[in-house]
């Protein structure tokens, strides 16, 4: 799970235990620990930029939903006219 990976990567960053010790403690291959640690370091700045990106995602999602509502309204009106005649 992402929570487990974060926990292991943070433990690796603390340098209180060697990667081998962490691998045996968490029953994970040392290569995986190193890759999770690298991923955490590479993507750490995104944690602080999360609010900005989520707002952009929400706006995009809202625009898509409005577009779908418009399309469904047009289709509904068309079908209502065809059934009415």
């Amino acid at each position: 799970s992402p929570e487990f990976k974060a926990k292991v990567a943070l433990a690796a960053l603390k340098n209180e235990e060697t990667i081998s010790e962490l691998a045996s403690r968490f029953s994970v291959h040392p290569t995986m620990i190193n890759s999770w640690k690298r991923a955490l370091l590479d993507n750490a700045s995104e944690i602080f930029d999360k609010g900005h990106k989520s707002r952009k995602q929400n706006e995009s999602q809202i625009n898509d939903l409005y577009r779908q509502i418009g399309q469904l309204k047009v289709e509904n009106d068309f079908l209502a006219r065809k059934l009415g005649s």
Side-chain angles (χ1 to χ4, degrees):
S1 70
E3 292 83 15
F4 175 74
K5 291 176 183 179
K7 179 181 173 181
V8 174
L10 286 172
L13 283 174
K14 288 180 183 178
N15 286 327
E16 294 174 353
E17 297 177 75
T18 66
I19 298 294
S20 298
E21 291 171 339
L22 290 171
S24 65
R25 182 167 69 131
F26 290 109
S27 301
V28 177
H29 196 275
T31 306
M32 291 304 303
I33 294 176
N34 283 325
S35 68
W36 294 342
K37 179 180 172 182
R38 195 173 325 109
L40 179 63
L41 290 172
D42 291 345
N43 298 314
S45 63
E46 291 178 15
I47 293 169
F48 299 104
D49 194 29
K50 186 177 182 181
H52 181 68
K53 286 185 179 181
S54 66
R55 270 186 255 123
K56 280 186 177 181
Q57 262 184 339
N58 286 343
E59 289 175 11
S60 173
Q61 198 173 29
I62 288 170
N63 289 337
D64 289 342
L65 291 173
Y66 277 128
R67 208 172 298 117
Q68 286 178 358
I69 289 170
Q71 181 181 356
L72 291 172
K73 184 170 175 24
V74 168
E75 290 172 0
N76 193 27
D77 291 345
F78 173 77
L79 291 173
R81 275 187 272 131
K82 287 295 182 182
L83 286 175
S85 50

